[in-house]
Amino acid sequence: MNRTEVPFDFSFPDNYMEIKGHDVRLAVSKLHDFSDTLGLLASYSLMYAGEEEYSHFKSLDEIKIKCLKRIYLNNAILWYSNCFDILLQSIWFMDRIWQYYNDGGTLLKDYHKLRNRNGKDFVDIKRNIDGWVQLAEHNCEYGKIQKYLRAYHKKSEVLKELKKFYNKYIKFSSGTKPNIRMLANQIKHNSSLKLKEFETKTTFNLKTDNPMANKILKKNENIIVKFNQVFYNKDAPEEKGKITLSYDKDILVDIKYDNAEGEEFRGQDLLQIVFSIEEIENELNNYHNDIIELYYIIKESFMDNITILPSIKLQENKSDSITIHQPELIPYLEDEEESKK
């Protein structure tokens, strides 16, 4: 699948002018960071997770190639997930959305999830004090931005496309296909990326006292098997509980104690959602193209506020004129002596 070319539309934020009521350069810096992260980190990680990148490495065996792909796929998921957060922060700063959730802000009252790490009811952000930018970044959330856009820009293209992208790639799904945000959170908080290519299926031999059943088991590899095994306390003959082994696509072991205080331990709680490298690659390719479309919509909504800093547009500078003189050519001493001859 072809990936859309990553846009690099903005130079360094210091080259842009600020306007009252917005933080233009902070917003531009986020768009600049978006392109940098998407183009130089996420895209390259995804590229090196591709099958064709290792065809010329004759010395690498199949396991080593799979391990390399797993590493790059882990990186790609994390960087692509980060790209969405950076885009959110561009909107957050351009319209100073954080101020609507400050003490006395118009959106604070109806929003009940404003809790920082210290458990305070809200975070009161004040501009131009040390650390305010980092505090604002920390408190940027999709839910807050969506609530702001609904209240003040209800019919905007940004609200519509942001919600569409969120529902498709960010909102946690049932697990029938890879979800980039869910995979990123799994990598960051739970465990490394689980892939079908690294799965090892449980195999076992099963034989019963029934000759007909043995024939069926031998012929049909896809048959579902389930049986119970009683377990006992080694010092007492009474039954303590049951172990249930079942096999469908893989083995599950359930352990249940019989007494009133006994507990049940389900085998399915150990299962994790697993996808193939190709499945995740395809989803990341779609994510790549769609997040660039979202970027262009957000960028377009900013354009009325983004202008180049007047001091670097010399041809439009109406202050003191600047005259640049061509430097005088000073001949070498030997040249002067040569001319006197």
Side-chain angles (χ1 to χ4, degrees), residues 122-324:
F122 63 88
V123 177
D124 203 29
I125 299 169
K126 299 185 185 299
R127 292 180 70 254
N128 297 337
I129 63 172
D130 290 347
W132 83 271
V133 173
Q134 291 74 24
L135 186 60
E137 288 173 336
H138 177 71
N139 284 276
C140 177
E141 295 176 16
Y142 168 79
K144 295 177 186 176
I145 293 174
Q146 186 188 50
K147 188 172 182 63
Y148 163 79
L149 291 173
R150 280 179 175 169
Y152 295 98
H153 301 278
K154 192 172 184 179
K155 295 182 179 179
S156 73
E157 189 74 6
V158 172
L159 174 60
K160 184 179 79 172
E161 294 302 319
L162 191 62
K163 184 178 179 182
K164 179 181 171 184
F165 187 89
Y166 179 88
N167 288 337
K168 186 175 181 181
Y169 294 108
I170 308 301
K171 186 177 180 181
F172 281 18
S173 64
S174 61
T176 55
K177 70 171 189 172
N179 176 284
I180 302 308
R181 194 63 155 203
M182 188 165 63
L183 290 173
N185 276 276
Q186 175 189 316
I187 293 167
K188 286 191 289 186
H189 304 298
N190 300 325
S191 63
S192 59
L193 187 63
K194 300 291 187 286
L195 297 170
K196 286 181 180 177
E197 286 79 359
F198 288 87
E199 279 190 314
T200 54
K201 295 289 185 181
T202 303
T203 58
F204 59 91
N205 295 319
L206 184 63
K207 188 175 181 180
T208 72
D209 295 332
N210 188 325
M212 185 60 69
N214 289 335
K215 285 183 180 180
I216 295 172
L217 290 170
K218 191 173 183 180
K219 289 180 180 179
N220 192 343
E221 294 180 357
N222 298 318
I223 196 168
I224 298 173
V225 177
K226 183 175 182 179
F227 60 92
N228 297 318
Q229 180 182 19
V230 176
F231 64 89
Y232 303 86
N233 188 315
K234 81 173 182 179
D235 298 324
E238 69 270 13
E239 178 183 321
K240 290 294 181 182
K242 288 186 176 66
I243 300 171
T244 302
L245 288 87
S246 57
Y247 189 94
D248 185 356
K249 294 179 181 177
D250 205 349
I251 196 164
L252 285 179
V253 180
D254 297 323
I255 301 173
K256 185 176 181 180
Y257 285 82
D258 285 341
N259 58 25
E261 294 79 27
E263 292 185 282
E264 182 177 358
F265 302 86
R266 304 187 311 170
Q268 70 185 63
D269 295 336
L270 303 175
L271 296 178
Q272 293 180 316
I273 299 171
V274 180
F275 300 102
S276 69
I277 292 173
E278 184 180 3
E279 286 175 309
I280 298 173
E281 255 192 300
N282 289 338
E283 188 68 2
L284 284 171
N285 274 314
N286 293 328
Y287 184 105
H288 174 101
N289 293 339
D290 286 351
I291 203 168
I292 290 176
E293 286 186 23
L294 180 61
Y295 159 86
Y296 279 122
I297 289 165
I298 292 171
K299 172 197 161 187
E300 184 60 31
S301 74
F302 290 172
M303 291 315 293
D304 289 343
N305 296 332
I306 297 177
T307 56
I308 296 294
L309 198 68
S311 58
I312 66 171
K313 297 169 70 176
L314 295 179
Q315 69 277 15
E316 297 178 11
N317 194 339
K318 296 181 180 179
S319 60
D320 295 339
S321 60
I322 300 174
T323 304
I324 300 176

Side-chain angles (χ1 to χ4, degrees), residues 16-29:
Y16 298 89
M17 185 62 185
E18 297 283 13
I19 60 174
K20 187 177 179 181
H22 301 271
D23 284 300
V24 176
R25 288 184 297 172
L26 284 171
V28 168
S29 74

Side-chain angles (χ1 to χ4, degrees), residues 79-91:
W79 288 123
Y80 273 110
S81 178
N82 195 34
C83 285
F84 180 73
D85 294 332
I86 296 171
L87 276 186
L88 289 182
Q89 289 173 21
S90 71
I91 307 170

Side-chain angles (χ1 to χ4, degrees), residues 85-100:
D85 294 332
I86 296 171
L87 276 186
L88 289 182
Q89 289 173 21
S90 71
I91 307 170
W92 185 250
F93 282 112
M94 178 58 85
D95 284 2
R96 294 183 185 171
I97 298 175
W98 48 264
Q99 68 184 354
Y100 293 86

